[in-house]
Amino acid sequence: DIQMTQSPSSLSASVGDRVTITCRASQSVSSSLNWYQQKPGKAPKVLIYAASSLQTGVPSRFSASGSGTDFTLTISALQPEDFATYFCQQSYRTPFTFGGGTRVEIK
Amino acid sequence: QVHLQESGPGLVKPSGTLSLTCTVSGDSISSTNWWNWVRQTPGKGLEWIGEIFHGGNTNYNPSLESRVTMSVDKSMNHFSLELTSVTAADTAVYFCARLGRGFDYWGQGTLVTVSS
């Protein structure tokens, strides 16, 4: 299985801050990497697919980059509705696998 | 608007079979997408269970493969999950999801508890 490792596991930030989350794959997943946001009691919501493509309807303050094994999700200016948990997920090879998540909390 | 909805018992006895159905609206189960099951627990996080295509092709997580069966009912536009010989470790929120641009549509999730 391809292991996905996210860091940090949690962070505290203020509204307006720039936030960066990283995801590392145990082997290359090319650009088959997706990012999700999840709020308590809800299903994950896809933000970014294919490593850097913004899903329709997702605010442009979200961006992502990377390929191979190293990926980054950036929120350029954190908004109150962005406090949530973020996951990366590889869709390069089954079994599809998720990172452990990064909880973004209010400072 | 694509909508997925899980249904099934919320309580299953140990050694029993967990059975869930995901009803799809706004898209055809016979489209070019793969239809997936994912579960989530506080301890193990998000775990992919498997996927099915409308023709019946499946891919399962090897960690669960010996206990998992997925099926599609085109007439009802739904797909189903069966997980046999369940234990407390199978207690989780179960989601169905469409694999399009990532997992782009999800059901709301259903909590299944394994307990006597």
Side-chain angles (χ1 to χ4, degrees):
Chain A
D1 298 4
I2 299 175
Q3 307 303 316
M4 309 301 295
T5 304
Q6 281 183 242
S7 61
S9 57
S10 65
L11 63 90
S12 295
S14 300
V15 172
D17 283 355
R18 182 181 182 89
V19 168
T20 299
I21 299 168
T22 63
C23 177
R24 174 164 287 175
S26 61
Q27 59 187 272
S28 176
V29 298
S30 186
S31 294
S32 298
L33 190 286
N34 309 304
W35 288 97
Y36 300 86
Q37 176 194 69
Q38 187 178 32
K39 296 183 178 179
K42 301 292 188 182
K45 169 189 171 184
V46 64
L47 302 173
I48 303 284
Y49 65 95
S52 61
S53 296
L54 194 66
Q55 181 73 317
T56 303
V58 174
S60 58
R61 63 180 179 274
F62 291 93
S63 64
S65 63
S67 67
T69 61
D70 293 306
F71 301 87
T72 300
L73 173 71
T74 299
I75 310 172
S76 60
L78 203 62
Q79 297 301 299
E81 60 267 30
D82 300 338
F83 291 96
T85 301
Y86 294 83
F87 296 93
C88 59
Q89 175 254 329
Q90 64 83 15
S91 53
Y92 181 72
R93 176 179 296 148
T94 62
F96 301 136
T97 46
F98 293 83
T102 297
R103 178 178 290 184
V104 176
E105 300 172 321
I106 302 172
K107 183 183 286 184
Chain B
Q1 178 75 349
V2 179
H3 184 72
L4 283 71
Q5 178 70 56
E6 305 91 351
S7 58
L11 181 65
V12 182
K13 293 188 187 309
S15 76
T17 297
L18 179 159
S19 298
L20 295 174
T21 294
C22 180
T23 300
V24 179
S25 58
D27 190 12
S28 169
I29 203 83
S30 297
S31 69
T32 57
N33 298 296
W34 285 78
W35 302 95
N36 289 253
W37 291 97
V38 175
R39 69 182 183 181
Q40 186 171 30
T41 61
K44 289 190 70 176
L46 288 160
E47 181 180 29
W48 179 76
I49 300 170
E51 62 179 358
I52 187 164
F53 197 64
H54 63 80
N57 301 68
T58 55
N59 292 301
Y60 299 144
N61 193 320
S63 67
L64 298 168
E65 187 164 17
S66 63
R67 301 193 289 131
V68 170
T69 303
M70 294 183 185
S71 59
V72 165
D73 186 329
K74 297 177 190 178
S75 66
M76 298 295 289
N77 213 47
H78 71 209
F79 62 106
S80 299
L81 167 70
E82 284 197 345
L83 181 66
T84 62
S85 304
V86 296
T87 70
D90 295 309
T91 294
V93 176
Y94 286 76
F95 296 98
C96 55
R98 187 183 85 167
L99 182 60
R101 294 179 172 178
F103 291 121
D104 54 2
Y105 290 97
W106 296 68
Q108 65 185 22
T110 187
L111 174 62
V112 179
T113 302
V114 178
S115 175
S116 55

